[in-house]
Amino acid sequence: EAQVTQNPRYLITVTGKKLTVTCSQNMNHEYMSWYRQDPGLGLRQIYYSMNVEVTDKGDVPEGYKVSRKEKRNFPLILESPSPNQTSLYFCASSSRGRDTEAFFGQGTRLTVV
Amino acid sequence: EDQVTQSPEALRLQEGESSSLNCSYTVSGLRGLFWYRQDPGKGPEFLFTLYSAGEEKEKERLKATLTKKESFLHITAPKPEDSATYLCAVPTSGTYKYIFGTGTRLKVLA
């Protein structure tokens, strides 16, 4: 089954404690991206990757890092989380980047206290 | 600046009461406009892509249309299972970034 898998689904952490949210897709897609979703602000893109070792900033990259060492994986790293990073996070993948629809993961609800 | 605006923010319909959702966009050289459906607590699910003004696509009770300034998602004779948030998105000019509208929350009452 074609899917995008994120882990964990839920995470509560404390300010400053480094964390990683994993994302994996099994569709051999070139394009992967991370979004955060906040009430009233909608989905905002954090980072995206066009292919292995190629990443670029979205609209809200501050406080986040990403890496793309393998085509199927695109982890999101918060080196020093802060309460304003409390949000619902989605990973997505698609083929050929901007020309095709995105497949989204189930979401990771992160709370930073 | 590239922008996507959706209206209304929320919409309540009786079962069978048809209506339309709007997605207005400002982007240079549109390379596609995407519609997604999102159920509470889940990731968005793809519905349609429209590429040029005048294009229309249909799926069950949904029909999406596109002009040079906006897109409409028409819902004909909706059912309670159509209740969800509907999102539109466009790729931005000259980059590989996507911007999403804030969505329309649709509630269909039985």
Side-chain angles (χ1 to χ4, degrees):
Chain A
E1 181 191 354
Q3 60 184 4
V4 177
T5 303
Q6 294 178 229
N7 280 296
R9 293 291 311 280
Y10 303 91
L11 179 60
I12 301 175
T13 190
V14 296
T15 299
K17 185 177 180 182
K18 181 179 178 180
L19 66 91
T20 300
V21 184
T22 64
C23 174
S24 180
Q25 50 95 2
N26 63 0
M27 295 167 279
N28 201 37
H29 284 163
E30 295 85 5
Y31 187 92
M32 297 185 74
S33 60
W34 277 101
Y35 295 86
R36 61 178 289 174
Q37 189 170 36
D38 303 289
L41 297 177
L43 274 165
R44 292 179 293 166
Q45 197 169 31
I46 302 170
Y47 270 95
Y48 62 91
S49 169
M50 289 300 294
N51 214 324
V52 175
E53 303 292 0
V54 180
T55 63
D56 208 345
K57 297 177 181 178
D59 283 332
V60 288
E62 297 77 19
Y64 304 95
K65 282 178 58 176
V66 293
S67 67
R68 187 96 180 270
K69 293 184 169 57
E70 303 168 281
K71 197 171 187 179
R72 63 182 292 127
N73 296 323
F74 190 44
L76 179 69
I77 303 158
L78 284 73
E79 295 266 1
S80 183
S82 62
N84 63 12
Q85 292 178 297
T86 293
S87 187
L88 179 58
Y89 291 85
F90 289 101
C91 178
S93 75
S94 62
S95 62
R96 302 202 325 271
R98 57 195 178 190
D99 294 337
T100 61
E101 70 272 20
F103 292 80
F104 283 80
Q106 324 94 297
T108 296
R109 188 166 292 280
L110 172 66
T111 301
V112 183
V113 298
Chain B
E1 182 186 350
D2 296 336
Q3 202 165 10
V4 174
T5 304
Q6 290 188 248
S7 63
E9 191 173 313
L11 183 62
R12 289 166 69 93
L13 299 172
Q14 290 295 131
E15 185 172 3
E17 180 186 1
S18 302
S19 188
S20 297
L21 315 182
N22 178 264
C23 172
S24 297
Y25 63 91
T26 53
V27 62
S28 302
L30 183 71
R31 300 189 308 272
L33 185 142
F34 297 79
W35 281 100
Y36 291 87
R37 169 192 170 124
Q38 186 176 25
D39 293 302
K42 295 189 175 182
E45 181 181 328
F46 172 76
L47 292 173
F48 304 107
T49 310
L50 302 166
Y51 289 102
S52 56
E55 189 175 359
E56 299 181 351
K57 288 191 177 174
E58 288 188 65
K59 181 179 179 179
E60 296 181 0
R61 295 176 292 281
L62 300 177
K63 178 180 176 181
T65 61
L66 182 67
T67 72
K68 289 186 178 179
K69 294 183 187 178
E70 57 194 348
S71 177
F72 292 94
L73 185 64
H74 307 278
I75 303 177
T76 302
K79 297 182 177 182
E81 52 261 43
D82 294 322
S83 298
T85 296
Y86 291 85
L87 304 169
C88 67
V90 297
T92 56
S93 311
T95 76
Y96 295 94
K97 293 194 297 186
Y98 279 86
I99 51 173
F100 278 76
T102 51
T104 294
R105 290 191 314 276
L106 173 66
K107 177 76 172 175
V108 181
L109 305 171

